[in-house]
Amino acid sequence: MKNIAVIGAGTMGNGIAHVFAQNGFKINLLDISETALNKGLQTIANNLDRMVAKEKISKEDKETTLNNITTFTNIKTGVNNTDLVVEAATENLDLKLNIFKALDEACSGTTILATNTSSISITQIAAVTSNPERVIGMHFMNPVPIMKLVEIIRGYNTSNEVTQTIMELSKKLGKIPVEVNDYPGFVANRILMPMLNESIETLYNGVAGVTEIDTVMKLGMAHPMGPLQLADFIGLDVCLSILNVMYNGFKNPKYAPCPLLVNMVNAGKLGVKSGEGFYDYSESKKAEKVASQFIR
């Protein structure tokens, strides 16, 4: 397995492309927007520069990694002759279903189709393809170049062979894969999102302020980042989307998004990506600092 396509040049997509390319894979990075592709490549280059500055890699390693990435805006061309496609588009069910329908038509019958979804049913996504046994979840953590975990999610029809292939591939990337079953939120977000949501409820109910809540969790629970800051880093729109998937999937009120979270997303206050969430990131350097602290 040498040729990999990654769909989506945003935060997760460019991180996934970065990791594959740095480990010697040839990457086709796809997005409908040339602007998004250029921004994604620049993010990869910036992160590689940080690694060079910290003497984690050489300048030659950086150039080799960037040379392993080719960009495309056409899905048929971009996934041609690939062994694996990793979809990392926005966490939207209809969008993902449309992408997988297109992949089913454009890819060979042997290409493995993976999704980086953090909550949506792998079985539901696989159902729109002609070979659901080759569809699997490959949920990387953000920031992808740093975080070791990859949740490997088996859909109802995912084959043992495909699962084992992706488990072994993840290890070749220097990651630690953990196999989980296909239920809303899987493991990571089923546990994480209710905690973030409860933190927002705590703020909403006036128990304590933003800094106080985060300080309690950092100092009292040894979390490297407070839950409200983490929600900002993930993206409040992403948190809301995942909570809605879990709420609709389980029909359990404990997963219902806090009204404050809903209002903030409706107001466009999405966290780091928008410049404001629970914290103010209006200065571009401030936002960059939040993101770069994880590139060690």
Side-chain angles (χ1 to χ4, degrees):
M1 187 172 288
K2 288 293 182 183
N3 301 315
I4 315 293
V6 177
I7 297 180
T11 300
M12 296 306 295
N14 71 58
I16 293 168
H18 172 163
V19 169
F20 272 109
Q22 191 176 333
N23 284 277
F25 293 88
K26 296 297 182 182
I27 302 302
N28 293 351
L29 180 60
L30 291 86
D31 203 292
I32 59 173
S33 165
E34 286 282 2
T35 300
L37 287 168
N38 292 333
K39 184 178 179 181
L41 285 176
Q42 188 59 56
T43 298
I44 295 170
N46 291 344
N47 288 338
L48 289 169
D49 283 337
R50 292 187 185 98
M51 297 176 76
V52 171
K54 295 176 183 295
E55 299 184 346
K56 299 289 186 181
I57 61 173
S58 67
K59 290 183 178 179
E60 292 75 17
D61 292 331
K62 172 193 169 182
E63 294 305 317
T64 299
T65 298
L66 291 174
N67 288 336
N68 280 337
I69 303 173
T70 306
T71 60
F72 295 84
T73 56
N74 183 284
I75 194 167
K76 290 184 178 180
T77 307
V79 302
N80 188 41
N81 294 323
T82 54
D83 304 303
L84 167 69
V85 179
V86 182
E87 172 272 316
T90 304
E91 192 75 349
N92 177 282
L93 175 61
D94 290 337
L95 174 61
K96 291 184 186 294
L97 294 181
N98 286 332
I99 289 173
F100 273 78
K101 288 176 184 176
L103 291 176
D104 191 51
E105 294 177 0
C107 296
S108 74
T110 60
T111 303
I112 296 175
L113 305 180
T115 173
N116 183 59
T117 180
S118 55
S119 60
I120 297 172
S121 168
I122 308 304
T123 303
Q124 187 174 6
I125 292 172
V128 301
T129 71
S130 56
N131 294 299
E133 66 276 3
R134 63 178 171 143
V135 179
I136 193 166
M138 198 175 187
H139 179 208
F140 290 85
M141 304 293 123
N142 184 29
V144 181
I146 298 301
M147 302 296 279
K148 290 291 186 182
L149 174 66
V150 184
E151 274 188 308
I152 307 300
I153 307 103
R154 294 182 66 131
Y156 187 82
N157 292 302
T158 306
S159 71
N160 291 333
E161 180 183 3
V162 165
T163 302
Q164 190 59 37
T165 297
I166 296 303
M167 293 284 284
E168 293 302 321
L169 177 64
S170 300
K171 293 175 184 176
K172 290 178 181 178
L173 299 177
K175 303 299 184 185
I176 299 174
V178 176
E179 182 182 339
V180 304
N181 290 320
D182 188 19
Y183 292 95
F186 316 130
V187 171
N189 282 321
R190 184 169 179 173
I191 295 171
L192 174 64
M193 286 300 153
M195 185 193 76
L196 299 188
N197 198 44
E198 190 62 29
S199 300
I200 300 169
E201 285 277 3
T202 302
L203 176 66
Y204 180 58
N205 292 332
V207 177
V210 171
T211 304
E212 289 76 13
I213 291 168
D214 278 355
T215 300
V216 166
M217 295 304 290
K218 285 191 287 186
L219 299 184
M221 313 305 166
H223 290 190
M225 178 184 285
L228 299 177
Q229 187 184 13
L230 177 57
D232 274 354
F233 184 71
I234 293 169
L236 302 190
D237 55 334
V238 176
C239 293
L240 178 59
S241 176
I242 295 170
L243 283 165
N244 280 330
V245 167
M246 294 168 65
Y247 180 60
N248 292 331
F250 291 116
K251 307 299 181 187
N252 189 323
K254 75 177 181 179
Y255 299 116
C258 175
L260 175 58
L261 174 61
V262 175
N263 281 342
M264 290 181 71
V265 172
N266 287 339
K269 299 183 187 303
L270 310 181
V272 175
K273 69 173 81 175
S274 70
E276 184 179 356
F278 294 106
Y279 293 87
D280 181 10
Y281 310 94
S282 54
E283 299 174 25
S284 59
K285 289 184 179 179
K286 194 184 296 184
E288 183 179 341
K289 182 179 180 182
V290 172
S292 66
Q293 67 180 293
F294 297 96
I295 307 299
R296 302 185 179 92

PDB file of all heavy atoms in Angstrom, residues 234-254:
ATOM      1  N   ILE A 234     -11.136  22.347  19.248  1.00  0.00           N
ATOM      2  CA  ILE A 234     -11.825  21.396  18.375  1.00  0.00           C
ATOM      3  C   ILE A 234     -12.707  22.122  17.374  1.00  0.00           C
ATOM      4  O   ILE A 234     -12.784  21.758  16.194  1.00  0.00           O
ATOM      5  CB  ILE A 234     -12.684  20.426  19.215  1.00  0.00           C
ATOM      6  CG1 ILE A 234     -11.790  19.521  20.068  1.00  0.00           C
ATOM      7  CG2 ILE A 234     -13.592  19.560  18.319  1.00  0.00           C
ATOM      8  CD1 ILE A 234     -12.549  18.723  21.109  1.00  0.00           C
ATOM      9  N   GLY A 235     -13.370  23.175  17.843  1.00  0.00           N
ATOM     10  CA  GLY A 235     -14.365  23.897  17.045  1.00  0.00           C
ATOM     11  C   GLY A 235     -15.731  23.660  17.655  1.00  0.00           C
ATOM     12  O   GLY A 235     -16.175  22.502  17.771  1.00  0.00           O
ATOM     13  N   LEU A 236     -16.397  24.723  18.087  1.00  0.00           N
ATOM     14  CA  LEU A 236     -17.685  24.547  18.753  1.00  0.00           C
ATOM     15  C   LEU A 236     -18.733  23.990  17.801  1.00  0.00           C
ATOM     16  O   LEU A 236     -19.650  23.270  18.236  1.00  0.00           O
ATOM     17  CB  LEU A 236     -18.160  25.883  19.344  1.00  0.00           C
ATOM     18  CG  LEU A 236     -17.210  26.543  20.353  1.00  0.00           C
ATOM     19  CD1 LEU A 236     -17.892  27.717  21.032  1.00  0.00           C
ATOM     20  CD2 LEU A 236     -16.721  25.544  21.389  1.00  0.00           C
ATOM     21  N   ASP A 237     -18.605  24.287  16.512  1.00  0.00           N
ATOM     22  CA  ASP A 237     -19.519  23.697  15.531  1.00  0.00           C
ATOM     23  C   ASP A 237     -19.333  22.202  15.422  1.00  0.00           C
ATOM     24  O   ASP A 237     -20.303  21.442  15.285  1.00  0.00           O
ATOM     25  CB  ASP A 237     -19.351  24.366  14.168  1.00  0.00           C
ATOM     26  CG  ASP A 237     -17.914  24.341  13.663  1.00  0.00           C
ATOM     27  OD1 ASP A 237     -16.975  24.275  14.490  1.00  0.00           O
ATOM     28  OD2 ASP A 237     -17.721  24.400  12.435  1.00  0.00           O
ATOM     29  N   VAL A 238     -18.087  21.748  15.522  1.00  0.00           N
ATOM     30  CA  VAL A 238     -17.807  20.311  15.479  1.00  0.00           C
ATOM     31  C   VAL A 238     -18.369  19.637  16.730  1.00  0.00           C
ATOM     32  O   VAL A 238     -18.991  18.570  16.650  1.00  0.00           O
ATOM     33  CB  VAL A 238     -16.287  20.059  15.352  1.00  0.00           C
ATOM     34  CG1 VAL A 238     -15.979  18.564  15.417  1.00  0.00           C
ATOM     35  CG2 VAL A 238     -15.751  20.654  14.053  1.00  0.00           C
ATOM     36  N   CYS A 239     -18.161  20.259  17.883  1.00  0.00           N
ATOM     37  CA  CYS A 239     -18.713  19.705  19.134  1.00  0.00           C
ATOM     38  C   CYS A 239     -20.223  19.572  19.043  1.00  0.00           C
ATOM     39  O   CYS A 239     -20.797  18.538  19.429  1.00  0.00           O
ATOM     40  CB  CYS A 239     -18.339  20.592  20.317  1.00  0.00           C
ATOM     41  SG  CYS A 239     -16.575  20.635  20.704  1.00  0.00           S
ATOM     42  N   LEU A 240     -20.874  20.608  18.541  1.00  0.00           N
ATOM     43  CA  LEU A 240     -22.327  20.582  18.407  1.00  0.00           C
ATOM     44  C   LEU A 240     -22.775  19.478  17.466  1.00  0.00           C
ATOM     45  O   LEU A 240     -23.741  18.742  17.761  1.00  0.00           O
ATOM     46  CB  LEU A 240     -22.834  21.938  17.913  1.00  0.00           C
ATOM     47  CG  LEU A 240     -24.339  22.061  17.679  1.00  0.00           C
ATOM     48  CD1 LEU A 240     -25.113  21.783  18.956  1.00  0.00           C
ATOM     49  CD2 LEU A 240     -24.677  23.443  17.135  1.00  0.00           C
ATOM     50  N   SER A 241     -22.091  19.332  16.353  1.00  0.00           N
ATOM     51  CA  SER A 241     -22.440  18.298  15.376  1.00  0.00           C
ATOM     52  C   SER A 241     -22.334  16.904  15.978  1.00  0.00           C
ATOM     53  O   SER A 241     -23.216  16.061  15.801  1.00  0.00           O
ATOM     54  CB  SER A 241     -21.534  18.424  14.145  1.00  0.00           C
ATOM     55  OG  SER A 241     -21.784  17.387  13.227  1.00  0.00           O
ATOM     56  N   ILE A 242     -21.253  16.660  16.707  1.00  0.00           N
ATOM     57  CA  ILE A 242     -21.041  15.340  17.314  1.00  0.00           C
ATOM     58  C   ILE A 242     -22.104  15.068  18.379  1.00  0.00           C
ATOM     59  O   ILE A 242     -22.663  13.963  18.446  1.00  0.00           O
ATOM     60  CB  ILE A 242     -19.629  15.240  17.925  1.00  0.00           C
ATOM     61  CG1 ILE A 242     -18.571  15.322  16.825  1.00  0.00           C
ATOM     62  CG2 ILE A 242     -19.468  13.926  18.708  1.00  0.00           C
ATOM     63  CD1 ILE A 242     -17.159  15.480  17.351  1.00  0.00           C
ATOM     64  N   LEU A 243     -22.399  16.054  19.207  1.00  0.00           N
ATOM     65  CA  LEU A 243     -23.434  15.877  20.235  1.00  0.00           C
ATOM     66  C   LEU A 243     -24.789  15.592  19.600  1.00  0.00           C
ATOM     67  O   LEU A 243     -25.557  14.747  20.096  1.00  0.00           O
ATOM     68  CB  LEU A 243     -23.509  17.115  21.122  1.00  0.00           C
ATOM     69  CG  LEU A 243     -22.389  17.248  22.164  1.00  0.00           C
ATOM     70  CD1 LEU A 243     -22.347  18.662  22.719  1.00  0.00           C
ATOM     71  CD2 LEU A 243     -22.549  16.223  23.287  1.00  0.00           C
ATOM     72  N   ASN A 244     -25.096  16.261  18.499  1.00  0.00           N
ATOM     73  CA  ASN A 244     -26.367  16.011  17.813  1.00  0.00           C
ATOM     74  C   ASN A 244     -26.435  14.590  17.262  1.00  0.00           C
ATOM     75  O   ASN A 244     -27.488  13.938  17.331  1.00  0.00           O
ATOM     76  CB  ASN A 244     -26.569  17.024  16.688  1.00  0.00           C
ATOM     77  CG  ASN A 244     -27.076  18.369  17.195  1.00  0.00           C
ATOM     78  OD1 ASN A 244     -27.776  18.428  18.204  1.00  0.00           O
ATOM     79  ND2 ASN A 244     -26.731  19.439  16.505  1.00  0.00           N
ATOM     80  N   VAL A 245     -25.329  14.100  16.719  1.00  0.00           N
ATOM     81  CA  VAL A 245     -25.293  12.723  16.217  1.00  0.00           C
ATOM     82  C   VAL A 245     -25.548  11.748  17.359  1.00  0.00           C
ATOM     83  O   VAL A 245     -26.318  10.788  17.229  1.00  0.00           O
ATOM     84  CB  VAL A 245     -23.936  12.425  15.543  1.00  0.00           C
ATOM     85  CG1 VAL A 245     -23.767  10.917  15.295  1.00  0.00           C
ATOM     86  CG2 VAL A 245     -23.819  13.178  14.220  1.00  0.00           C
ATOM     87  N   MET A 246     -24.903  11.984  18.503  1.00  0.00           N
ATOM     88  CA  MET A 246     -25.071  11.092  19.645  1.00  0.00           C
ATOM     89  C   MET A 246     -26.483  11.187  20.217  1.00  0.00           C
ATOM     90  O   MET A 246     -27.091  10.169  20.577  1.00  0.00           O
ATOM     91  CB  MET A 246     -24.009  11.414  20.700  1.00  0.00           C
ATOM     92  CG  MET A 246     -22.593  11.109  20.233  1.00  0.00           C
ATOM     93  SD  MET A 246     -21.317  11.791  21.312  1.00  0.00           S
ATOM     94  CE  MET A 246     -21.603  10.879  22.802  1.00  0.00           C
ATOM     95  N   TYR A 247     -27.008  12.403  20.297  1.00  0.00           N
ATOM     96  CA  TYR A 247     -28.363  12.591  20.832  1.00  0.00           C
ATOM     97  C   TYR A 247     -29.393  11.900  19.945  1.00  0.00           C
ATOM     98  O   TYR A 247     -30.295  11.200  20.429  1.00  0.00           O
ATOM     99  CB  TYR A 247     -28.670  14.081  20.945  1.00  0.00           C
ATOM    100  CG  TYR A 247     -30.047  14.385  21.484  1.00  0.00           C
ATOM    101  CD1 TYR A 247     -30.440  13.960  22.749  1.00  0.00           C
ATOM    102  CD2 TYR A 247     -30.954  15.120  20.727  1.00  0.00           C
ATOM    103  CE1 TYR A 247     -31.698  14.252  23.245  1.00  0.00           C
ATOM    104  CE2 TYR A 247     -32.224  15.409  21.211  1.00  0.00           C
ATOM    105  CZ  TYR A 247     -32.586  14.975  22.472  1.00  0.00           C
ATOM    106  OH  TYR A 247     -33.833  15.247  22.964  1.00  0.00           O
ATOM    107  N   ASN A 248     -29.249  12.073  18.640  1.00  0.00           N
ATOM    108  CA  ASN A 248     -30.176  11.440  17.700  1.00  0.00           C
ATOM    109  C   ASN A 248     -29.998   9.923  17.656  1.00  0.00           C
ATOM    110  O   ASN A 248     -30.960   9.181  17.449  1.00  0.00           O
ATOM    111  CB  ASN A 248     -29.982  12.022  16.297  1.00  0.00           C
ATOM    112  CG  ASN A 248     -30.416  13.473  16.206  1.00  0.00           C
ATOM    113  OD1 ASN A 248     -31.304  13.907  16.925  1.00  0.00           O
ATOM    114  ND2 ASN A 248     -29.766  14.245  15.343  1.00  0.00           N
ATOM    115  N   GLY A 249     -28.749   9.476  17.858  1.00  0.00           N
ATOM    116  CA  GLY A 249     -28.479   8.040  17.793  1.00  0.00           C
ATOM    117  C   GLY A 249     -28.954   7.276  19.009  1.00  0.00           C
ATOM    118  O   GLY A 249     -29.474   6.159  18.890  1.00  0.00           O
ATOM    119  N   PHE A 250     -28.779   7.872  20.188  1.00  0.00           N
ATOM    120  CA  PHE A 250     -29.141   7.178  21.425  1.00  0.00           C
ATOM    121  C   PHE A 250     -30.509   7.600  21.975  1.00  0.00           C
ATOM    122  O   PHE A 250     -31.058   6.911  22.836  1.00  0.00           O
ATOM    123  CB  PHE A 250     -28.079   7.438  22.500  1.00  0.00           C
ATOM    124  CG  PHE A 250     -26.756   6.780  22.234  1.00  0.00           C
ATOM    125  CD1 PHE A 250     -25.613   7.539  22.012  1.00  0.00           C
ATOM    126  CD2 PHE A 250     -26.637   5.404  22.214  1.00  0.00           C
ATOM    127  CE1 PHE A 250     -24.391   6.939  21.774  1.00  0.00           C
ATOM    128  CE2 PHE A 250     -25.420   4.791  21.984  1.00  0.00           C
ATOM    129  CZ  PHE A 250     -24.296   5.564  21.762  1.00  0.00           C
ATOM    130  N   LYS A 251     -31.015   8.746  21.534  1.00  0.00           N
ATOM    131  CA  LYS A 251     -32.271   9.292  22.064  1.00  0.00           C
ATOM    132  C   LYS A 251     -32.205   9.447  23.579  1.00  0.00           C
ATOM    133  O   LYS A 251     -33.195   9.257  24.295  1.00  0.00           O
ATOM    134  CB  LYS A 251     -33.463   8.403  21.692  1.00  0.00           C
ATOM    135  CG  LYS A 251     -33.585   8.083  20.216  1.00  0.00           C
ATOM    136  CD  LYS A 251     -33.763   9.322  19.364  1.00  0.00           C
ATOM    137  CE  LYS A 251     -33.914   8.965  17.894  1.00  0.00           C
ATOM    138  NZ  LYS A 251     -33.933  10.156  17.014  1.00  0.00           N
ATOM    139  N   ASN A 252     -31.032   9.816  24.061  1.00  0.00           N
ATOM    140  CA  ASN A 252     -30.809   9.963  25.493  1.00  0.00           C
ATOM    141  C   ASN A 252     -30.547  11.440  25.793  1.00  0.00           C
ATOM    142  O   ASN A 252     -29.634  12.044  25.213  1.00  0.00           O
ATOM    143  CB  ASN A 252     -29.609   9.114  25.922  1.00  0.00           C
ATOM    144  CG  ASN A 252     -29.452   9.039  27.433  1.00  0.00           C
ATOM    145  OD1 ASN A 252     -29.691  10.015  28.145  1.00  0.00           O
ATOM    146  ND2 ASN A 252     -29.038   7.885  27.926  1.00  0.00           N
ATOM    147  N   PRO A 253     -31.320  12.057  26.691  1.00  0.00           N
ATOM    148  CA  PRO A 253     -31.179  13.502  26.951  1.00  0.00           C
ATOM    149  C   PRO A 253     -29.811  13.898  27.490  1.00  0.00           C
ATOM    150  O   PRO A 253     -29.465  15.087  27.445  1.00  0.00           O
ATOM    151  CB  PRO A 253     -32.289  13.795  27.958  1.00  0.00           C
ATOM    152  CG  PRO A 253     -32.657  12.480  28.553  1.00  0.00           C
ATOM    153  CD  PRO A 253     -32.424  11.461  27.482  1.00  0.00           C
ATOM    154  N   LYS A 254     -29.036  12.966  27.998  1.00  0.00           N
ATOM    155  CA  LYS A 254     -27.733  13.347  28.539  1.00  0.00           C
ATOM    156  C   LYS A 254     -26.784  13.820  27.438  1.00  0.00           C
ATOM    157  O   LYS A 254     -25.757  14.441  27.724  1.00  0.00           O
ATOM    158  CB  LYS A 254     -27.104  12.192  29.327  1.00  0.00           C
ATOM    159  CG  LYS A 254     -26.536  11.054  28.511  1.00  0.00           C
ATOM    160  CD  LYS A 254     -25.885  10.019  29.434  1.00  0.00           C
ATOM    161  CE  LYS A 254     -25.279   8.855  28.663  1.00  0.00           C
ATOM    162  NZ  LYS A 254     -24.628   7.882  29.564  1.00  0.00           N
TER     163      LYS A 254
END
